[in-house]
């Protein structure tokens, strides 16, 4: 007997710093759908997912909770596994970068690359975002802050997160050594990066301008894998994280049988934000290790909201648990795979979600099943006869469309076009519903046309059998319910043959058909989803609440703050902002000083403040906002959400120090 063909698919390993949204679930559901499809097709499939558990952000999250980093990631990994169980994710292995086998593999990989000269010791200086776990050059920053002399003192990453300057010894990977070889590989393997637009982006934005060597260790971070030959360094992010795809298979271990069996991966599924690391850094690492490259890397788009990226802070985050608990698992899995064209961004709205559940699932699929079962019970006492070999014109059309659907479905699933595959299946569902209206079974029954009626009922039952099998990789529960109502078993090899007429019907459907997708009340459910989204937004504490939660400070801490009296010479609204006011202040210095303050809402007539004396913190680092520099902070009070500047009497001289 010939060995089964293998298929190895991976998701990115998720960074366990917070709760996962439907955007994270999207990648994993897609990978799960593909893994299930390949298993159904007879492939020996291995599906990998997991967590990327090292880094500064994890240290900080753990410290904030008063626990050790290991305990923090243990808790987070457990919560992710719980979510994947809820979403019926059929992974074969869940890897964690704190697993001992992974740690040992990474250390062996690092030492090998160091020994052969692909890694060397140098010094790194760059702008680092803790939230993004990423370094940026000055030109890559979305915004920069400068001091009076024009020196860059900070800024924001493209994500909007603050960055800080880091300078430390670091080991570097000679990426530049492999740039030409990588470009040649792209040319020889046009399906390596999909969609093709991602490849062009990598070449034009990162490789052609000159591929810089990559910093791969840190000495300022403790929570990571130590470099065996230089333990004050820990392996930083990408050698650690990317190696999971081979360490999970036992690469460089005593038992590497899985690696020999499944590598190279058939497809890495990743979000578009990490395509660069998977299509540049990872292939170069594998080239340096003399290992085959993965066959394909697919960079999919994002699940967006109307106001942009999904974010807890925006109050637009949607969590999978809420959707599944209210509407069922298949409603979520169907929506994610149908509404988001794979490879492109898609927009989630409560209105679209509820509409798709009602029209696609309740009206189209659910109604087809309910009508068919009811008619078979009413007209044939629940018995389904074998599919006839002779058909009328309507029957021939339905059979031809079913066969065409099956062929097209295979093409689309193999290409990871899940949305198109579901479009194709729903075309068959629509045709089966139309077939009922064309053949009018109630008229055939009334006229006593028994043979024609049997043929129609068998064709409808056969259509539903095939539809259940086609949706099975994506919707894992509905096929079970459909088969149960048809009187079939998914354990029956004949019943699960994806071919028209392959099953010799002669069995009874259920006597008590139940809707598998009850129709939703549009207004009520849209309101519910919006309320749940709003709950996800963290409550913004008032200034007084923030003050109450602050820990005590020493007199030395207080002495670091320089407070001075300032007279307001002028005040104006900052262009492009409805919150910021720009204050020109006399602090007894040679030149007036500018401070920006986000209190415009509380001073609709800001000119009334001119001539008033206020208190300012004057030894803060200057900060640039909307193209203007703020050189300090004005003191204000807050009560019941109302903010007022602290005004002092004119007897205090400009520039006078408080203390």
């Amino acid at each position: 007997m010939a060995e089964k063909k293998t298929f190895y698919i991976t998701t990115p390993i998720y960074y366990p710093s917070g709760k996962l949204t439907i955007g994270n679930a999207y990648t994993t559901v897609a990978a799960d759908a593909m893994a299930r499809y390949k298993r159904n097709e007879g492939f020996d499939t291995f599906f990998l997912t997991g967590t990327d558990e090292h880094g500064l952000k994890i240290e900080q999250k753990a410290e904030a909770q008063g626990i050790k980093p290991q305990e923090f990631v243990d808790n987070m990994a457990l919560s992710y596994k719980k979510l994947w169980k809820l979403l019926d994710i059929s992974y074969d292995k869940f890897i964690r970068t704190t697993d001992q086998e992974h740690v040992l593999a990474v250390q062996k990989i690092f030492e090998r690359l160091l020994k052969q000269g692909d890694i060397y010791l140098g010094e790194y200086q760059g702008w680092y975002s803790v939230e993004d776990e990423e370094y940026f050059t000055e030109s890559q920053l979305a915004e920069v802050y400068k001091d009076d002399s024009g020196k860059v003192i900070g800024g924001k990453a493209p994500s909007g997160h603050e960055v800080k300057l880091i300078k430390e010894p670091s080991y570097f990977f000679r990426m530049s050594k492999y740039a030409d070889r990588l470009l040649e590989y792209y040319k020889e393997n046009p399906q390596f990066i999909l969609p093709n637009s991602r490849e062009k982006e990598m070449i034009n934005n990162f490789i052609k301008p000159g591929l810089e060597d990559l910093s791969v260790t840190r000495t300022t971070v403790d929570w990571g894998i130590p470099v065996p030959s230089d333990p004050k360094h820990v392996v930083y992010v990408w050698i650690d994280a990317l190696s999971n795809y081979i360490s999970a298979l036992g690469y460089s271990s005593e038992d590497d049988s899985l690696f020999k069996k499944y590598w190279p991966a058939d497809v890495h599924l990743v979000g578009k934000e990490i395509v660069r690391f998977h299509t540049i850094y990872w292939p170069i690492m594998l080239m340096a290790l003399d290992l085959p490259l993965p066959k394909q890397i697919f960079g999919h788009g994002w699940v967006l909201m109307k106001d942009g990226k999904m974010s807890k802070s925006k109050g637009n985050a949607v969590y999978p648990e809420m959707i599944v608990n209210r509407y069922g698992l298949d409603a979520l899995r169907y929506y994610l795979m149908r509404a988001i064209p794979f490879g492109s961004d898609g927009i989630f709205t409560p209105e679209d979600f509820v509409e798709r559940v009602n029209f696609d699932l309740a009206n189209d699929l659910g109604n087809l099943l309910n009508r068919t079962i009811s008619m078979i019970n009413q007209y044939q006492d629940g018995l389904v006869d074998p599919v006839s070999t002779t058909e009328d014109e309507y029957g021939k059309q339905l059979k031809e469309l079913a066969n065409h659907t099956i062929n097209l479905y295979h093409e689309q699933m193999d290409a990871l076009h899940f949305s198109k595959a579901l479009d194709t299946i729903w075309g068959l569902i629509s045709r089966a519903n139309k077939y009922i209206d064309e053949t009018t079974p109630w008229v055939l029954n009334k006229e006593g046309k028994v043979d024609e009626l049997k043929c129609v009922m068998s064709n409808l039952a056969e259509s539903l059998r095939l539809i259940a099998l086609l949706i099975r990789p994506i919707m894992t529960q509905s096929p079970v319910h459909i088969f149960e109502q048809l009187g079939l078993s998914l354990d029956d090899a004949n019943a699960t043959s994806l071919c028209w007429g392959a099953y010799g019907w002669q069995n009874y459907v259920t006597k008590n058909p139940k809707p598998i997708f009850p129709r939703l009340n549009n207004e009520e459910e849209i309101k519910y989803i919006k309320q749940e989204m709003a709950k996800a937004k963290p409550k913004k504490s008032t200034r007084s609440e923030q003050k109450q939660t602050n820990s005590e400070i020493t007199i030395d801490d207080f002495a670091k703050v320089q407070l001075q009296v300032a007279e307001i010479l002028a005040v104006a609204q900052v262009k492009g902002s409805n919150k910021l006011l720009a204050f020109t202040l006399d602090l007894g210095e040679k030149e007036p000083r500018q401070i920006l303050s986000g209190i415009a809402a509380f001073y609709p007539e800001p000119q009334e403040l001119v001539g008033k004396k206020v208190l300012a913190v004057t030894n803060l680092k200057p900060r640039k906002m909307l193209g203007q520099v703020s050189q300090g902070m004005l003191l204000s009070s807050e009560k019941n959400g109302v903010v007022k500047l602290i005004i002092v009497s004119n007897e205090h001289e400009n520039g006078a120090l408080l203390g």
Side-chain angles (χ1 to χ4, degrees):
M1 183 177 177
E3 284 189 21
K4 286 185 177 181
K5 288 184 178 180
T6 61
F7 185 80
Y8 179 29
I9 187 168
T10 72
T11 71
I13 50 174
Y14 300 100
Y15 200 63
S17 58
K19 194 173 180 181
L20 298 178
T21 67
I22 60 169
N24 306 116
Y26 173 67
T27 316
T28 313
V29 170
D32 182 65
M34 196 63 182
R36 289 174 179 272
Y37 167 72
K38 286 296 183 178
R39 291 190 195 107
N40 291 343
E41 291 299 297
F43 283 75
D44 181 348
T45 301
F46 195 90
F47 171 21
L48 177 70
T49 190
T51 42
D52 174 14
E53 299 184 352
H54 293 122
L56 181 58
K57 196 195 301 187
I58 297 297
E59 278 187 312
Q60 294 176 344
K61 292 277 185 180
E63 185 179 354
Q65 292 186 16
I67 58 178
K68 298 290 185 185
Q70 188 64 56
E71 184 180 353
F72 177 84
V73 295
D74 286 347
N75 294 337
M76 293 303 295
L78 193 64
S79 71
Y80 287 9
K81 286 182 178 180
K82 184 178 179 182
L83 175 60
W84 297 153
K85 184 176 181 180
L86 177 70
L87 300 188
D88 206 4
I89 305 299
S90 61
Y91 60 82
D92 294 285
K93 183 164 184 173
F94 187 102
I95 187 170
R96 301 175 56 190
T97 56
T98 52
D99 290 341
Q100 189 60 22
E101 71 229 35
H102 175 76
V103 170
L104 292 174
V106 168
Q107 289 179 323
K108 288 180 181 178
I109 288 169
F110 190 95
E111 292 296 334
R112 173 177 167 179
L113 296 175
L114 179 63
K115 186 177 180 180
Q116 65 191 37
D118 285 305
I119 288 178
Y120 63 92
L121 183 61
E123 184 175 74
Y124 184 82
Q125 179 172 309
W127 296 102
Y128 181 65
S129 165
V130 173
E131 290 297 319
D132 299 309
E133 286 278 343
E134 190 173 348
Y135 282 79
F136 301 91
T137 63
E138 185 180 314
S139 63
Q140 290 174 326
L141 296 178
E143 184 179 349
V144 296
Y145 311 144
K146 296 181 179 180
D147 61 17
D148 293 340
S149 65
K151 181 183 177 182
V152 177
I153 57 172
K156 288 185 178 179
S159 62
H161 297 127
E162 299 277 345
V163 295
K164 60 181 180 179
L165 188 65
I166 298 290
K167 185 177 181 180
E168 60 176 317
S170 175
Y171 283 92
F172 288 80
F173 193 114
R174 297 185 195 278
M175 290 283 155
S176 52
K177 173 182 172 182
Y178 293 90
D180 291 341
R181 183 173 164 188
L182 182 62
L183 283 173
E184 189 63 26
Y185 189 85
Y186 287 175
K187 186 177 179 180
E188 293 173 354
N189 298 273
Q191 297 297 301
F192 178 57
I193 304 174
L194 291 177
N196 296 124
S197 57
R198 307 271 188 248
E199 179 185 309
K200 294 175 184 175
E201 181 187 347
M202 295 304 107
I203 294 172
N204 295 331
N205 294 355
F206 299 106
I207 300 177
K208 279 188 176 179
L211 193 55
E212 296 181 354
D213 290 351
L214 178 68
S215 174
V216 291
T217 66
R218 291 287 171 266
T219 57
T220 53
V221 179
D222 294 325
W223 183 241
I225 298 174
V227 173
S229 58
D230 195 354
K232 65 179 179 290
H233 287 260
V234 298
V235 180
Y236 168 71
V237 183
W238 294 111
I239 285 183
D240 178 3
L242 293 166
S243 297
N244 91 89
Y245 300 125
I246 54 177
S247 69
L249 300 177
Y251 172 74
S252 79
S253 71
E254 291 182 7
D255 182 5
D256 62 354
S257 55
L258 290 178
F259 177 77
K260 290 175 179 175
K261 183 177 184 181
Y262 292 108
W263 190 258
D266 288 87
V267 60
H268 291 319
L269 286 185
V270 299
K272 65 180 181 180
E273 73 281 4
I274 54 173
V275 166
R276 169 163 54 114
F277 313 115
H278 284 79
T279 60
I280 297 177
Y281 300 166
W282 181 224
I284 286 177
M285 282 176 56
L286 291 167
M287 287 175 178
L289 293 169
D290 293 321
L291 294 176
L293 273 57
K295 297 173 187 175
Q296 190 173 92
I297 297 166
F298 199 108
H300 65 72
W302 291 335
V303 180
L304 300 174
M305 311 303 282
K306 280 184 176 179
D307 54 352
K309 248 189 132 176
M310 197 175 296
S311 163
K312 186 190 292 187
S313 61
K314 285 184 179 179
N316 67 3
V318 181
Y319 296 112
E321 295 90 341
M322 179 270 289
I323 297 290
V324 173
N325 292 336
R326 181 95 170 177
Y327 308 105
L329 173 59
D330 278 1
L332 175 64
R333 289 181 64 114
Y334 171 79
Y335 182 84
L336 289 177
M337 295 298 99
R338 180 79 189 270
I340 318 295
F342 210 65
S344 303
D345 293 339
I347 296 177
F348 174 93
T349 66
E351 293 82 359
D352 186 45
F353 175 79
V354 172
E355 186 175 282
R356 283 193 177 275
V357 171
N358 277 338
F359 284 91
D360 298 359
L361 300 181
N363 281 13
D364 294 344
L365 177 57
N367 199 34
L368 174 63
L369 175 66
N370 197 261
R371 291 172 78 189
T372 298
I373 299 297
S374 297
M375 288 189 294
I376 292 171
N377 276 315
Q378 182 179 352
Y379 302 142
Q380 297 186 192
D381 293 324
L383 180 65
V384 182
D385 290 291
V387 175
S388 175
T389 55
T390 58
E391 300 279 3
D392 62 12
E393 189 58 34
Y394 293 133
K396 287 178 182 177
Q397 290 175 9
L398 182 63
K399 178 181 177 180
E400 286 173 3
L401 180 63
N403 288 329
H404 175 70
T405 297
I406 292 167
N407 292 332
L408 192 55
Y409 162 84
H410 284 307
E411 291 177 15
Q412 291 161 340
M413 288 296 289
D414 285 328
L416 302 168
H417 292 158
F418 305 114
S419 181
K420 289 182 179 179
L422 285 169
D423 284 342
T424 299
I425 298 166
W426 252 253
L428 177 59
I429 292 171
S430 178
R431 186 69 187 82
N433 275 310
K434 185 181 178 182
Y435 179 70
I436 294 174
D437 298 330
E438 290 171 333
T439 55
T440 58
W442 48 92
V443 174
L444 296 177
N445 179 65
K446 186 177 180 179
E447 294 177 352
K449 296 180 178 179
V450 177
D451 291 337
E452 290 182 41
L453 185 58
K454 284 181 179 181
C455 182
V456 169
M457 292 297 101
S458 297
N459 284 344
L460 288 171
E462 181 70 355
S463 296
L464 279 164
R465 182 184 74 85
L466 295 176
I467 289 163
L469 295 176
L470 290 168
I471 65 173
R472 188 159 58 143
I474 293 168
M475 303 167 69
T476 63
Q477 296 182 344
S478 301
V480 176
H481 300 317
I482 293 171
F483 262 48
E484 285 174 349
Q485 296 202 33
L486 289 172
L488 304 175
S489 170
L490 285 167
D491 295 326
D492 184 339
N494 291 324
T496 56
S497 175
L498 196 53
C499 179
W500 181 274
Y503 182 67
W505 291 88
Q506 197 66 52
N507 53 278
Y508 290 90
V509 300
T510 180
K511 293 291 183 184
N512 301 300
K514 294 179 181 178
I516 58 175
F517 291 105
R519 187 170 176 79
L520 304 177
N521 179 300
N522 281 40
E523 187 176 332
E524 182 180 325
E525 297 310 320
I526 290 168
K527 181 181 178 182
Y528 171 80
I529 295 172
K530 288 181 176 179
Q531 287 174 340
E532 291 300 305
M533 289 164 61
K535 286 180 186 177
K537 186 174 184 178
K539 183 179 178 291
K540 188 176 182 180
S541 59
T542 63
R543 296 186 184 190
S544 56
E545 288 172 335
Q546 291 169 357
K547 187 175 180 181
Q548 291 170 10
T549 58
N550 286 342
S551 58
E552 293 181 345
I553 63 172
T554 66
I555 189 66
D556 293 330
D557 294 323
F558 179 74
K560 295 176 183 177
V561 181
Q562 184 173 294
L563 296 171
Q564 290 182 268
V565 176
E567 181 181 347
I568 300 174
L569 301 177
V571 59
Q573 190 100 18
V574 173
K575 188 176 181 180
S577 172
N578 58 3
K579 296 181 180 179
L580 287 176
L581 293 177
F583 290 85
T584 304
L585 305 164
D586 180 1
L587 282 143
E589 300 169 329
K590 287 183 179 181
E591 298 289 338
R593 180 186 290 233
Q594 177 174 276
I595 292 179
L596 307 184
S597 181
I599 57 172
F602 305 101
Y603 290 96
E605 300 293 337
Q607 295 303 320
E608 296 176 356
L609 294 169
V610 174
K612 303 288 187 184
K613 292 195 176 186
V614 293
L615 298 179
V617 179
T618 57
N619 61 338
L620 288 175
K621 285 184 176 181
R623 180 175 179 180
K624 193 172 184 181
M625 293 181 280
L626 293 177
Q628 297 201 41
V629 176
S630 181
Q631 298 169 289
M633 181 180 73
L634 298 182
L635 295 190
S636 59
S637 65
E638 184 271 337
K639 187 173 183 179
N640 298 325
V642 178
V643 176
K644 292 293 179 184
L645 283 173
I646 306 253
I647 308 290
V648 299
S649 69
N650 287 332
E651 65 184 32
H652 297 285
E653 292 187 15
N654 295 352
L657 287 166
L658 274 70

